[in-house]
Amino acid sequence: MATTVASAPDPDPAPANNNTENHKKNRIQVSNTKKPLFFYVNLAKRYIQQHDEVELSALGMAITTVVTIAEILKNNGLATEKKVLTSTVGMKDENKGRLVQKAKIEIVLGKSDKFDKLMAPANTTESEAADEEKK
């Protein structure tokens, strides 16, 4: 139905500009059948931490999942909406073998001003727990 979990950067030997290269590294292709919602929320947080932005993309029925992920991150003050793109893509229907149009969405979220401050309590709790285990 939808796409894969998270695409790895293209091992394309052709030189690309930095912006395009960055988009490949921080893109999450969401499926509503592969992983639970909060897997994608936590993955998006990690991508924002590493790259200062994340691109969420989905096809068809997974679009609602992408919108939900984006709203969770925005409502928690972790991300700001940079760009929303919608389009249709022609895909071959597995059952009938004909070309069908699927809706596609891409949402680019940027790191909010409060991101580091909001993520700090979670990081200190994890490091405190690790220190406790060492004792």
Side-chain angles (χ1 to χ4, degrees):
M1 171 149 297
T3 53
T4 58
V5 178
S7 64
D10 288 338
D12 190 8
N17 70 21
N18 222 5
N19 197 20
T20 307
E21 214 171 89
N22 190 27
H23 275 311
K24 297 297 175 200
K25 288 180 185 173
N26 65 347
R27 173 180 286 157
I28 301 172
Q29 293 179 293
V30 175
S31 164
N32 56 355
T33 58
K34 303 242 189 241
K35 300 278 184 188
L37 175 73
F38 275 90
F39 168 82
Y40 293 114
V41 171
N42 292 325
L43 185 62
K45 285 180 191 176
R46 198 170 324 133
Y47 277 30
I48 291 170
Q49 223 165 16
Q50 292 170 351
H51 304 287
D52 291 338
E53 69 175 29
V54 65
E55 182 180 320
L56 302 166
S57 96
L59 295 174
M61 302 295 282
I63 289 174
T64 55
T65 307
V66 163
V67 172
T68 304
I69 294 164
E71 287 302 313
I72 288 169
L73 293 168
K74 287 184 344 187
N75 290 339
N76 287 330
L78 296 169
T80 56
E81 198 173 279
K82 282 187 163 183
K83 186 168 40 171
V84 179
L85 300 169
T86 58
S87 60
T88 55
V89 241
M91 300 187 82
K92 198 161 195 165
D93 190 333
E94 294 140 13
N95 301 331
K96 299 172 185 154
R98 64 177 186 195
L99 197 67
V100 291
Q101 293 291 317
K102 284 237 181 196
K104 179 180 181 179
I105 192 166
E106 293 176 68
I107 300 176
V108 179
L109 297 174
K111 191 182 212 179
S112 74
D113 298 336
K114 299 183 267 179
F115 183 88
D116 292 321
K117 185 179 171 188
L118 291 168
M119 291 299 285
N123 292 339
T124 53
T125 309
E126 288 170 12
S127 41
E128 287 170 2
D131 291 342
E132 288 295 320
E133 287 178 16
K134 289 178 185 174
K135 290 181 183 179

